[in-house]
Amino acid sequence: IENNFFGKNITVSGLITGRDLINQLKGKELGECLYVSSAMIKGTYPECTDGIFLDDITVEQAEKELAVKIISSYNDGKEFAEKITEEE
């Protein structure tokens, strides 16, 4: 995802906005769920489903726009693997 909100030179996952996700992923085949870094969502970890992105787009709004469930995970391989196997 290019960071159009803060600038394309910004490559920190925690600064990706909901609108950038929506604009760049809408209409693409995303499968059953979209995994994002929990750093992208302001809210209560671990679920962060009540949270919002930096541009005040809620996780629920992004899920509706993209027609996919959004699941957040720390940048941790073990936790990410556990999240993936939970969804199977």
Side-chain angles (χ1 to χ4, degrees):
I1 299 294
E2 285 188 349
N3 193 327
N4 293 320
F5 189 84
F6 290 106
K8 294 180 181 182
N9 291 333
I10 305 299
T11 58
V12 178
S13 66
L15 296 178
I16 297 292
T17 64
R19 184 57 49 204
D20 279 342
L21 278 178
I22 293 166
N23 288 341
Q24 295 173 50
L25 295 178
K26 192 167 187 171
K28 295 187 177 184
E29 177 55 48
L30 300 174
E32 294 179 21
C33 55
L34 175 65
Y35 292 90
V36 300
S37 169
S38 60
M40 295 169 64
I41 302 171
K42 299 185 292 182
T44 307
Y45 185 82
E47 296 306 318
C48 295
T49 54
D50 61 334
I52 58 173
F53 293 92
L54 288 175
D55 57 353
D56 293 330
I57 298 288
T58 66
V59 171
E60 184 178 352
Q61 288 172 311
E63 287 177 329
K64 285 181 183 176
E65 290 268 351
L66 295 172
V68 69
K69 180 179 178 181
I70 295 176
I71 299 172
S72 66
S73 176
Y74 272 132
N75 294 333
D76 174 277
K78 180 180 179 208
E79 180 180 323
F80 182 67
E82 289 171 356
K83 293 244 180 186
I84 290 173
T85 56
E86 285 174 10
E87 292 301 314
E88 291 179 350

